[in-house]
Amino acid sequence: MTNRQEEYLLLFATQSEKGRCIAAASEEFGVTKASASRVSARLEEVGLISRNAHGALELTEQGRALIEPKLEQMGRLEEWLEIDLGIPPSVAQQEARRIVTRLNAETVLLLIDRWDRQAAALQAVDREKPVFALAPGAYTVPFQVYKCGGTELSMGDRGFRKPAVLICEGDESFFLMYPQQMQYQASDSSKCYTAKLDRLWYRSRESWFEAQEKTDGSRVIPATALRFENGQDSITGTVRIRLRSTISIRKMPESEADAVFDLTQIEPKHQCGANNLDEREHVS
């Protein structure tokens, strides 16, 4: 299999359904649709990809088994590029894909090993800096998502259920943000589309980290990533986030925003009424 074919498999393995098509591959790799179609057709001929009921390209079991090792390596390198080098997530994904398909396999493993050791050291520093002196447990925290550096609500504010849940576990504290579907209307169209969060990153120590996704779909934001501000009557914690959404059109660009948590309104979760989700759902 050629390097280019491997890149196509990695692209189809990491994109949402709307992005697994000839047009998206053509745009991603800067080639004509005819060229992208030829590569995709060859992968389909040898049984590595197929088309689902909606016409989207997806990896077969054989294709996923073949590319899985490089897919895992790509994920680790994407983290390194975002966190250590501060490269924007969309660019980091492209570069990580090129690295695992173009560099010598031993070089790739050396890069990953070095990053794993560095990431472990960063996590150890985080654990030494607990943010809240709260008793272990689950709490609810109101928040809103604003346009970067401003007071105007971002469109992404409608993409999350409210409030967030703060989990305190010993010397670690983290927020859970729950994505929800939202209606989106393009500025040049009267048609409404349905959008939902696909990936979420947060900014910490001048680097981008991808938020862990829990089994219930929530995204994890470590409390150590927040910048704290004391107002006259309030205490807030702000984290810069970067969002990528899926939408029922071909492409929706990534956007940056500020998630601002109102820390004066923290309440133990069991006191917040029956409308909130069961605590076990948040911590699973």
Side-chain angles (χ1 to χ4, degrees), residues 139-144 162-165 175 235-237 259-267:
Y139 302 81
T140 59
V141 187
F143 75 96
Q144 290 182 299
K162 310 291 181 64
V165 173
F175 294 87
I235 303 174
T236 60
V260 180
F261 298 85
D262 185 351
L263 304 179
T264 60
Q265 301 295 321
I266 293 177
E267 295 183 5

Short mmCIF file of all heavy atoms in Angstrom, two decimals, residues 139-144 162-165 175 235-237 259-267:
data_model
loop_
_atom_site.label_atom_id
_atom_site.label_comp_id
_atom_site.label_asym_id
_atom_site.label_seq_id
_atom_site.Cartn_x
_atom_site.Cartn_y
_atom_site.Cartn_z
N TYR A 139 -20.66 18.36 41.86
CA TYR A 139 -21.28 19.67 42.05
C TYR A 139 -21.75 20.19 40.70
O TYR A 139 -21.21 19.82 39.65
CB TYR A 139 -20.29 20.66 42.65
CG TYR A 139 -19.70 20.24 43.97
CD1 TYR A 139 -18.62 19.33 44.02
CD2 TYR A 139 -20.18 20.74 45.17
CE1 TYR A 139 -18.07 18.94 45.23
CE2 TYR A 139 -19.64 20.35 46.39
CZ TYR A 139 -18.58 19.45 46.41
OH TYR A 139 -18.04 19.06 47.62
N THR A 140 -22.75 21.06 40.70
CA THR A 140 -23.18 21.71 39.46
C THR A 140 -22.63 23.13 39.43
O THR A 140 -22.53 23.79 40.47
CB THR A 140 -24.70 21.75 39.33
OG1 THR A 140 -25.26 22.46 40.43
CG2 THR A 140 -25.27 20.35 39.27
N VAL A 141 -22.27 23.58 38.24
CA VAL A 141 -21.67 24.91 38.06
C VAL A 141 -22.27 25.57 36.82
O VAL A 141 -22.12 25.05 35.71
CB VAL A 141 -20.14 24.82 37.89
CG1 VAL A 141 -19.54 26.21 37.88
CG2 VAL A 141 -19.52 23.97 38.98
N PRO A 142 -22.94 26.72 36.96
CA PRO A 142 -23.43 27.44 35.79
C PRO A 142 -22.27 27.92 34.92
O PRO A 142 -21.19 28.24 35.43
CB PRO A 142 -24.19 28.63 36.39
CG PRO A 142 -24.44 28.27 37.82
CD PRO A 142 -23.29 27.40 38.22
N PHE A 143 -22.47 27.97 33.63
CA PHE A 143 -21.43 28.49 32.74
C PHE A 143 -22.08 29.01 31.47
O PHE A 143 -23.22 28.69 31.14
CB PHE A 143 -20.40 27.41 32.40
CG PHE A 143 -20.89 26.38 31.41
CD1 PHE A 143 -20.61 26.51 30.05
CD2 PHE A 143 -21.64 25.30 31.83
CE1 PHE A 143 -21.07 25.57 29.14
CE2 PHE A 143 -22.11 24.36 30.93
CZ PHE A 143 -21.81 24.49 29.58
N GLN A 144 -21.33 29.84 30.76
CA GLN A 144 -21.73 30.31 29.45
C GLN A 144 -20.51 30.34 28.54
O GLN A 144 -19.38 30.42 29.02
CB GLN A 144 -22.37 31.70 29.52
CG GLN A 144 -23.74 31.69 30.20
CD GLN A 144 -24.40 33.06 30.22
OE1 GLN A 144 -23.86 33.99 30.81
NE2 GLN A 144 -25.55 33.18 29.58
N LYS A 162 -26.83 22.86 30.20
CA LYS A 162 -26.44 23.61 31.39
C LYS A 162 -27.10 22.96 32.61
O LYS A 162 -28.23 22.47 32.51
CB LYS A 162 -26.89 25.07 31.28
CG LYS A 162 -26.49 25.76 29.98
CD LYS A 162 -24.99 25.98 29.88
CE LYS A 162 -24.63 26.70 28.59
NZ LYS A 162 -25.18 28.06 28.49
N PRO A 163 -26.47 22.99 33.76
CA PRO A 163 -25.12 23.49 34.04
C PRO A 163 -24.07 22.42 33.76
O PRO A 163 -24.40 21.30 33.37
CB PRO A 163 -25.20 23.80 35.54
CG PRO A 163 -26.13 22.75 36.08
CD PRO A 163 -27.18 22.56 34.99
N ALA A 164 -22.81 22.78 33.96
CA ALA A 164 -21.73 21.80 33.91
C ALA A 164 -21.69 21.06 35.24
O ALA A 164 -22.32 21.47 36.22
CB ALA A 164 -20.40 22.49 33.66
N VAL A 165 -20.97 19.96 35.28
CA VAL A 165 -20.80 19.21 36.52
C VAL A 165 -19.32 19.23 36.90
O VAL A 165 -18.45 18.98 36.06
CB VAL A 165 -21.28 17.75 36.36
CG1 VAL A 165 -20.94 16.93 37.60
CG2 VAL A 165 -22.79 17.72 36.12
N PHE A 175 -14.20 19.53 35.19
CA PHE A 175 -15.55 19.87 34.77
C PHE A 175 -16.00 18.93 33.66
O PHE A 175 -15.20 18.54 32.80
CB PHE A 175 -15.61 21.30 34.25
CG PHE A 175 -15.34 22.34 35.30
CD1 PHE A 175 -14.04 22.73 35.58
CD2 PHE A 175 -16.38 22.92 36.01
CE1 PHE A 175 -13.78 23.70 36.55
CE2 PHE A 175 -16.13 23.88 36.97
CZ PHE A 175 -14.83 24.27 37.25
N ILE A 235 -16.75 35.08 41.54
CA ILE A 235 -15.48 34.44 41.19
C ILE A 235 -15.75 33.62 39.94
O ILE A 235 -16.67 32.79 39.93
CB ILE A 235 -14.96 33.54 42.32
CG1 ILE A 235 -14.79 34.33 43.62
CG2 ILE A 235 -13.63 32.91 41.91
CD1 ILE A 235 -14.42 33.46 44.79
N THR A 236 -15.00 33.85 38.90
CA THR A 236 -15.19 33.10 37.67
C THR A 236 -13.92 32.36 37.29
O THR A 236 -12.82 32.75 37.66
CB THR A 236 -15.60 34.02 36.50
OG1 THR A 236 -14.57 34.99 36.29
CG2 THR A 236 -16.92 34.71 36.79
N GLY A 237 -14.11 31.28 36.54
CA GLY A 237 -13.00 30.54 35.97
C GLY A 237 -13.21 30.45 34.47
O GLY A 237 -14.28 30.04 34.01
N ALA A 259 -15.15 29.57 27.61
CA ALA A 259 -16.14 29.00 28.52
C ALA A 259 -15.89 29.61 29.89
O ALA A 259 -14.79 29.50 30.44
CB ALA A 259 -16.00 27.48 28.58
N VAL A 260 -16.90 30.29 30.43
CA VAL A 260 -16.76 31.01 31.70
C VAL A 260 -17.68 30.35 32.74
O VAL A 260 -18.90 30.33 32.58
CB VAL A 260 -17.11 32.50 31.54
CG1 VAL A 260 -16.96 33.22 32.87
CG2 VAL A 260 -16.23 33.14 30.48
N PHE A 261 -17.07 29.82 33.80
CA PHE A 261 -17.79 29.14 34.86
C PHE A 261 -17.99 30.09 36.05
O PHE A 261 -17.05 30.74 36.50
CB PHE A 261 -17.01 27.90 35.32
CG PHE A 261 -16.82 26.88 34.23
CD1 PHE A 261 -15.75 26.99 33.34
CD2 PHE A 261 -17.70 25.82 34.09
CE1 PHE A 261 -15.57 26.05 32.34
CE2 PHE A 261 -17.54 24.89 33.07
CZ PHE A 261 -16.47 25.00 32.20
N ASP A 262 -19.23 30.16 36.54
CA ASP A 262 -19.55 31.01 37.69
C ASP A 262 -19.32 30.21 38.97
O ASP A 262 -20.16 29.41 39.38
CB ASP A 262 -21.01 31.47 37.60
CG ASP A 262 -21.37 32.46 38.71
OD1 ASP A 262 -20.54 32.66 39.63
OD2 ASP A 262 -22.47 33.02 38.67
N LEU A 263 -18.18 30.42 39.60
CA LEU A 263 -17.78 29.61 40.74
C LEU A 263 -18.45 30.04 42.05
O LEU A 263 -18.29 29.38 43.07
CB LEU A 263 -16.26 29.64 40.89
CG LEU A 263 -15.49 29.21 39.64
CD1 LEU A 263 -14.00 29.29 39.87
CD2 LEU A 263 -15.90 27.81 39.21
N THR A 264 -19.21 31.14 42.00
CA THR A 264 -19.97 31.54 43.19
C THR A 264 -21.29 30.80 43.28
O THR A 264 -21.99 30.87 44.28
CB THR A 264 -20.24 33.06 43.19
OG1 THR A 264 -21.00 33.39 42.02
CG2 THR A 264 -18.94 33.84 43.21
N GLN A 265 -21.65 30.08 42.20
CA GLN A 265 -22.94 29.38 42.14
C GLN A 265 -22.78 27.86 42.21
O GLN A 265 -23.66 27.12 41.79
CB GLN A 265 -23.68 29.76 40.86
CG GLN A 265 -23.96 31.25 40.72
CD GLN A 265 -24.90 31.75 41.79
OE1 GLN A 265 -25.86 31.06 42.16
NE2 GLN A 265 -24.64 32.93 42.32
N ILE A 266 -21.65 27.39 42.73
CA ILE A 266 -21.43 25.94 42.85
C ILE A 266 -22.39 25.38 43.90
O ILE A 266 -22.54 25.93 44.99
CB ILE A 266 -19.98 25.65 43.26
CG1 ILE A 266 -19.02 26.04 42.13
CG2 ILE A 266 -19.80 24.17 43.60
CD1 ILE A 266 -17.56 25.86 42.47
N GLU A 267 -23.04 24.27 43.55
CA GLU A 267 -23.95 23.60 44.49
C GLU A 267 -23.70 22.10 44.46
O GLU A 267 -23.41 21.54 43.40
CB GLU A 267 -25.41 23.85 44.11
CG GLU A 267 -25.85 25.29 44.20
CD GLU A 267 -27.33 25.45 43.89
OE1 GLU A 267 -28.00 24.41 43.69
OE2 GLU A 267 -27.81 26.59 43.83
#
